[in-house]
Amino acid sequence: MALVTFLSEFGDKDYYVPAVKARMLSINPQLNIIDISHAIEPGDLEQAAFVLRSVFREFPKGTVHLVGINTVGVMTQGYIGVKLEEHIFIGPNNGILSLLADHDPGILVQFADIHLKDSTFPTRDILAPIAAKVASGAAIHDFGGPLTNFRKLMSRQAKATREHIIGHVIRIDRYGNLLTNIRREVFEKLNPGKFKIQFGREAVDRLQTGYDQVEPGDPFAFFNSLDVLEIGINHGHSGNLLGLKQDSVVYVHFGD
């Protein structure tokens, strides 16, 4: 199956998304194009990387992922193809693809000038044709040579000692729940049995396994399907109620 996922910051009010899809389908009408999201905030590489990192492994190996985020921004240093964990990513060299895993991709390709053109819409005019052709059987090496200047960004990491973990909110979902960068494996390694999780003016000393295990209006904390700590207020928008936002600090204190 020729499968392409599509992630962008284009929204759903303009012609941009269907124009990109039309360009790919004009090359191969049999493509199966799956939308990941087009609601990324413009230029928010961290948000886009979080969404893509959270879901790309759920697709079959060999899937081509088209990334149309900040493709004309000042950070973009050309356009590239990346092979990571048997998945192919086509996008700008602006650092977003470096945030998809804790290790470097196995293959990095800089697209050659012959495949580039002056465009105010490079996702449609440059990246979409390459994505469609790769999904149809071409290799990313067919479109360029080795990349020597892979742009890298560093994601914010939680800081941990035997006494505490200091993490941050990395995403507020549409329900107002707060996803953090505190990972289950780190918490479980350090947890002596007693702990307190503090976020804003709220604190909890036990973990739940779901949202409905506390009364409406009460705070909750659990490790979600991504194995990161999720916190919030049941039936409430935690960001608004607690004054928390992306990058707000979350503390875990161990012991009495």
Side-chain angles (χ1 to χ4, degrees):
M1 177 185 297
L3 183 60
V4 179
T5 76
F6 185 18
L7 175 71
S8 82
E9 59 194 358
F10 298 150
D12 59 4
K13 295 182 179 180
D14 296 295
Y15 70 93
Y16 306 130
V17 170
V20 173
K21 292 182 179 180
R23 181 61 56 89
M24 289 191 283
L25 291 170
S26 70
I27 294 171
N28 181 355
Q30 303 303 314
L31 287 178
N32 186 6
I33 304 173
I34 305 296
D35 295 300
I36 290 181
S37 175
H38 302 295
I40 302 299
E41 290 297 319
D44 193 336
L45 303 184
E46 189 171 2
Q47 179 194 7
F50 174 80
V51 171
L52 187 54
R53 177 173 177 154
S54 298
V55 76
F56 82 83
R57 295 177 181 88
E58 304 296 329
F59 288 93
K61 292 182 178 180
T63 297
V64 175
H65 304 276
L66 174 59
V67 182
I69 305 291
N70 201 31
T71 55
V72 294
V74 295
M75 294 178 62
T76 296
Q77 300 175 353
Y79 305 98
I80 62 175
V82 165
K83 186 173 185 180
L84 174 69
E85 299 177 20
E86 302 302 318
H87 290 255
I88 303 296
F89 300 85
I90 307 295
N93 186 20
N94 58 14
I96 185 173
L97 300 184
S98 71
L99 297 174
L100 299 181
D102 296 331
H103 54 275
D104 288 341
I107 297 175
L108 296 162
V109 173
Q110 175 83 49
F111 295 143
D113 290 344
I114 191 174
H115 300 289
L116 308 182
K117 60 177 71 176
D118 291 331
S119 172
T120 60
F121 197 175
T123 302
R124 180 194 66 183
D125 297 334
I126 298 172
L127 300 177
I130 295 175
K133 292 173 184 176
V134 172
S136 302
I140 53 174
H141 290 297
D142 296 339
F143 301 94
L147 173 66
T148 57
N149 64 330
F150 184 44
R151 188 176 180 90
K152 293 186 178 182
L153 298 176
M154 296 295 293
S155 60
R156 185 185 287 275
Q157 301 293 320
K159 298 180 180 179
T161 69
R162 291 184 181 275
E163 290 78 31
H164 62 253
I165 300 174
I166 302 175
H168 295 82
V169 175
I170 58 173
R171 182 83 175 101
I172 303 177
D173 71 14
R174 66 174 298 178
Y175 302 101
N177 302 320
L178 312 176
L179 283 68
T180 77
N181 60 353
I182 298 174
R183 299 184 181 184
R184 183 197 299 268
E185 60 181 332
V186 176
F187 176 88
E188 291 183 346
K189 183 177 181 179
L190 297 173
N191 180 21
K194 292 186 177 182
F195 61 87
K196 182 172 71 171
I197 301 171
Q198 184 174 348
F199 47 103
R201 60 179 177 271
E202 294 288 354
V204 298
D205 58 7
R206 64 187 295 266
L207 293 174
Q208 287 76 41
T209 58
Y211 304 96
D212 60 352
Q213 295 180 353
V214 298
E215 295 296 322
D218 286 347
F220 65 81
F222 62 84
F223 284 95
N224 64 17
S225 61
L226 300 175
D227 280 338
V228 298
L229 184 67
E230 184 170 340
I231 54 180
I233 302 295
N234 191 23
H235 289 192
H237 192 292
S238 309
N240 295 339
L241 291 173
L242 300 177
L244 298 176
K245 57 186 178 180
Q246 186 168 320
D247 231 25
S248 291
V249 177
V250 177
Y251 297 96
V252 180
H253 304 277
F254 294 115
D256 296 324

